[in-house]
Amino acid sequence: MNTVTSKDGTKIVYDKTGQGPALILVTGAFSYRKFPGQVQLAELLSGQFTVYNYDRRGRGDSGDKQPYAIEREIEDLQAVIDEAGGSAFVWGLSSGAVLALQAAANGADIAKLALHEPPFVVDPADRKPPHNFTAHVSELIAAGRRAEAIKYFMTQGMGAPSFVVGMMKLMPGVWSNLMAVAHTLPYDAALLDGYMEGKPLPAGLWRSVTQPVLVLQGTESPAGLRHGAQALAQALPNAQLLSKKGLGHTKKLPAKLISAELSAFFTGNSEVRIAANR
């Protein structure tokens, strides 16, 4: 276990494995660095990269200095990039993809960026969360109603059937892990606020993200996720869309398939140079 201090003094904890160019993994909602799929992904990638698998603030062993702001999470990622040598490849999943994208737009030295199914809702015909989704998630957490917040986020935000939440309560270790990170759900909701309303992505919003970008989506994923991924790939100046069966992230994280696609993208022919392990 390693630590780095973010700009506001928050301790960010990460695991470092492998050798080669630096690659940072950014998790989505409910996830953390010790999540089994995340651990497997880091292990698979460590044969070619120096992998930095970190706990976003408030999760696992990282600190959670208040008040929260998206800018603080961007600074956390920048601190890990600095620790990795000042430049890195970055993969972000779901809300973590939005965080990585925002960091790139704010000038973080990300050589190549892989964005895995950011949950943008860009089509008015696709399922959307309630209009007060972000506020209500925050209200539930502020009131100490973590279990309700988990159910609300999963069913109203992610579109999961209610019975799935009930099944998770019966699975050994699963519910306790969800409860342990539930207080960070308002952070994920804040990252997505304004991008889940069934409206097109604002024109030119991320025009500063000029590095090579791979947007990943599963052909089996819900239509909303696929439409969001397609819209993002079209909105970025130097992006390609990878659509493949099995890449969906709404069930078990497909670590083997993800690692293969990331290895191909990050090690492909490119003049971009990034800092190797120092």
Side-chain angles (χ1 to χ4, degrees), residues 11-80:
K11 180 184 72 172
I12 302 298
V13 172
Y14 66 92
D15 291 327
K16 177 181 174 183
T17 56
Q19 290 185 331
L23 169 56
I24 299 171
L25 309 180
V26 188
T27 59
F30 295 110
S31 194
Y32 48 96
R33 82 181 201 283
K34 293 299 186 184
F35 186 80
Q38 194 76 7
V39 172
Q40 183 185 11
L41 180 60
E43 291 175 347
L44 290 168
L45 290 167
S46 63
Q48 293 178 283
F49 306 95
T50 301
V51 181
Y52 292 77
N53 183 22
Y54 80 101
D55 280 327
R56 286 172 53 189
R57 68 170 51 208
R59 309 178 190 206
D61 297 304
S62 287
D64 193 21
K65 190 172 182 179
Q66 296 295 310
Y68 174 82
I70 293 173
E71 292 76 13
R72 303 293 82 76
E73 280 228 72
I74 292 173
E75 291 166 359
D76 298 345
L77 177 52
Q78 182 62 58
V80 181

Side-chain angles (χ1 to χ4, degrees), residues 116-272:
H116 198 155
E117 293 194 329
F120 298 139
V121 182
V122 299
D123 190 323
D126 290 333
R127 193 198 62 80
K128 299 179 288 292
H131 72 279
N132 64 337
F133 176 74
T134 300
H136 191 57
V137 170
S138 299
E139 290 167 2
L140 289 173
I141 292 300
R145 296 156 64 185
R146 291 195 179 197
E148 291 180 58
I150 293 170
K151 182 177 181 179
Y152 182 77
F153 195 98
M154 285 189 169
T155 58
Q156 300 301 310
M158 300 168 63
S162 295
F163 75 84
V164 171
V165 180
M167 289 175 58
M168 287 182 170
K169 291 182 179 181
L170 302 176
M171 297 168 68
V174 172
W175 189 252
S176 60
N177 288 336
L178 294 177
M179 288 287 284
V181 297
H183 64 287
T184 64
L185 292 177
Y187 307 170
D188 297 292
L191 282 162
L192 299 171
D193 196 27
Y195 301 118
M196 301 182 73
E197 299 174 353
K199 300 177 182 179
L201 297 174
L205 178 63
W206 294 300
R207 60 179 175 270
S208 63
V209 182
T210 57
Q211 58 266 72
V213 177
L214 179 68
V215 181
L216 302 96
Q217 69 164 22
T219 57
E220 75 281 9
S221 293
L225 282 175
R226 290 185 279 111
H227 293 156
Q230 293 159 11
L232 179 60
Q234 293 173 359
L236 296 174
N238 192 16
Q240 58 179 303
L241 177 68
L242 174 64
S243 182
K244 180 175 284 190
K245 184 178 181 180
L247 279 175
H249 79 281
T250 56
K251 295 181 181 179
K252 184 178 180 181
L253 193 68
K256 289 184 179 180
L257 182 55
I258 295 172
S259 66
E261 298 298 346
L262 294 185
S263 295
F265 173 61
F266 289 134
T267 62
N269 294 327
S270 175
E271 296 181 358
V272 176

